[in-house]
Amino acid sequence: MIRKEWLQIIRDPSAIAIAVFLPIFLLLIFGYGISLDAKEVPLAIVVEQHGQATDSFIGSFGANPYFTPRHMGSIQEAENALKNAEVDGIVWLQHTFEQEYLAHQSPPVHLIVNGGDANTARLVEGYVQGIWANWLNQEARLSGRKMNSPLQLEQRIWFNPGVRSTEFLVPGVIAVIMTLIGSLLTALIIAREWERGTMETLLVTRMTVIEMLLGKLIPYFGLGITGLTISLLMGRFVFEVPMRGSLTIILAASVLYLLVALAMGLFISTIARSQFVAALAAMIGTFLPAFILSGFIFDIRSMPPLVQGLTHLIAARYYVAILQTLFLAGDIWPVVLKNSAALLFMGVLFFTLVILKTNRNLEQQ
């Protein structure tokens, strides 16, 4: 049975493409093409009256990698540019800015942001506030003055000091890849036998149900390990995502999740007797939940309570939590053990359902 499945895989290049080329394709798209960072944001700068302080503050934007400043002569011109989507924000310094600053007052800095993209809007607002705070500290040091603020914020960012979205996305992409390889490919293997009329031939063999299922799963397990190896190598050496946890634990957790994904795909395959229906069910039942509800891109804690409850039924949620912890934070055992236990439970559950459903199908024959 194992040899038969390997021959089937060799004759069907799409399976090899999913296992080998799909990880490369998805990682390149999410690693290079998709970014949650805001860099080189076009920003309109309006200064009604130039002076030493205004020019010094505005110069901070030019030396910042997050903005591409565009100087405009009036607020009306800047607002038109914002309406036409030529810029994503406006920094407006009124004519009283220089006088109020020299008088040791708190001159206002007007910031107008395009809120159509809420994520970019929040990032632009935070970046401008950071530039303003850094400029005030720098000016205070140069002039020997003390800051009026009674508090001084010392900021430290753990686990991802560079705040690179790539380091957050790549572990999640690996989970999506493992879901596709595990569930989509195995969702077709039993349905293909029914569709081609070869299931009856398998039924008259002396194999037990477990032997038949193992014979079909082992080759696809090998494909999954191949995809995992490619993903880990690309994540570490191409995108330079740190691997602060143990490689052994990452591999063990990945093998456990791959078995769960294989079991989910096999369960779908035992229900659907058409490859088209099986592939559609695998996409809707495994891939889309893994993409949307696993915490891969969207923070689960920001979801409505009902949806948060539904995420506990998604196996990818636990695997994403394990990968992000092991890659970025290290061997945090409470996180690893809790999520691994959930994956183990789901794996046992799905394999039990597969065996029961397959036996029922055999009895019906």
Side-chain angles (χ1 to χ4, degrees):
M1 179 62 67
I2 294 174
R3 181 174 178 273
K4 169 187 175 298
E5 287 301 320
W6 271 119
L7 290 175
Q8 180 64 42
I9 291 172
I10 294 173
R11 292 167 184 164
D12 183 12
S14 61
I16 299 177
I18 291 176
V20 176
F21 297 108
L22 183 66
I24 299 174
F25 178 72
L26 288 179
L27 283 169
L28 289 176
I29 286 181
F30 282 93
Y32 290 124
I34 298 178
S35 176
L36 302 180
D37 304 328
K39 292 186 177 181
E40 299 183 357
V41 176
L43 187 70
I45 305 293
V46 179
V47 180
E48 293 186 350
Q49 183 174 346
H50 287 273
Q52 182 178 358
T54 56
D55 292 343
S56 174
F57 173 57
I58 294 303
S60 302
F61 290 91
N64 194 291
Y66 300 110
F67 294 111
T68 301
R70 298 180 55 183
H71 298 273
M72 298 188 176
S74 65
I75 186 62
Q76 291 78 15
E77 180 183 357
E79 289 178 351
N80 290 331
L82 185 63
K83 292 177 183 178
N84 296 328
E86 297 175 6
V87 296
D88 290 330
I90 302 172
V91 172
W92 179 20
L93 304 183
Q94 293 181 320
H95 65 279
T96 58
F97 180 90
E98 186 85 14
Q99 298 174 358
E100 293 180 6
Y101 175 75
L102 295 177
H104 303 295
Q105 299 177 3
S106 298
V109 177
H110 298 275
L111 174 63
I112 305 172
V113 181
N114 180 7
D117 184 348
N119 179 65
T120 301
R122 286 192 292 266
L123 290 174
V124 169
E125 183 181 4
Y127 292 158
V128 172
Q129 290 176 351
I131 291 175
W132 171 243
N134 290 336
W135 181 78
L136 287 177
N137 286 326
Q138 180 181 354
E139 290 295 311
R141 288 195 302 268
L142 293 176
S143 61
R145 300 199 311 263
K146 290 185 178 181
M147 294 291 294
N148 294 329
S149 174
L151 299 177
Q152 184 176 0
L153 178 64
E154 292 185 1
Q155 180 173 284
R156 291 177 175 84
I157 301 176
W158 283 18
F159 310 133
N160 188 3
V163 198
R164 296 174 60 228
S165 61
T166 301
E167 296 187 7
F168 173 78
L169 290 175
V170 167
V173 176
I174 295 176
V176 173
I177 291 170
M178 299 300 289
T179 303
L180 276 174
I181 295 176
S183 62
L184 181 58
L185 292 180
T186 53
L188 305 177
I189 55 179
I190 300 295
R192 182 173 58 234
E193 303 290 351
W194 288 112
E195 197 173 76
R196 296 179 178 178
T198 56
M199 192 63 185
E200 290 78 5
T201 304
L202 294 178
L203 297 179
V204 299
T205 62
R206 292 180 293 177
M207 289 187 301
T208 64
V209 173
I210 295 179
E211 288 173 343
M212 182 183 70
L213 294 178
L214 286 176
K216 287 186 168 295
L217 284 182
I218 289 175
Y220 293 97
F221 179 82
L223 287 180
I225 295 298
T226 302
L228 172 65
T229 303
I230 295 173
S231 301
L232 291 178
L233 290 175
M234 287 189 64
R236 183 66 187 93
F237 297 107
V238 176
F239 300 105
E240 298 180 349
V241 178
M243 190 180 293
R244 299 189 174 97
S246 170
L247 178 60
T248 303
I249 301 177
I250 293 176
L251 292 176
S254 299
V255 167
L256 178 59
Y257 179 71
L258 178 58
L259 291 174
V260 175
L262 291 171
M264 291 190 295
L266 198 57
F267 178 68
I268 294 172
S269 187
T270 57
I271 297 176
R273 299 197 176 187
S274 165
Q275 292 188 77
F276 174 78
V277 174
L280 189 62
M283 293 293 291
I284 297 176
T286 61
F287 171 71
L288 289 180
F291 192 87
I292 299 174
L293 301 178
S294 65
F296 157 45
I297 294 180
F298 309 106
D299 187 5
I300 294 178
R301 291 168 296 183
S302 64
M303 298 178 183
L306 178 60
V307 179
Q308 291 186 36
L310 291 176
T311 61
H312 291 284
L313 304 177
I314 310 301
R317 167 201 169 119
Y318 306 104
Y319 185 49
V320 169
I322 293 173
L323 283 185
Q324 289 179 345
T325 300
L326 291 175
F327 269 94
L328 302 180
D331 299 333
I332 311 299
W333 286 107
V335 177
V336 174
L337 293 178
K338 178 179 67 175
N339 290 282
S340 297
L343 288 178
L344 181 61
F345 171 77
M346 298 184 77
V348 172
L349 174 64
F350 277 107
F351 273 115
T352 302
L353 292 175
V354 167
I355 294 173
L356 294 177
K357 181 62 179 177
T358 304
N359 282 329
R360 190 176 298 115
N361 288 339
L362 294 177
E363 292 171 0
Q364 291 174 356
Q365 294 300 313

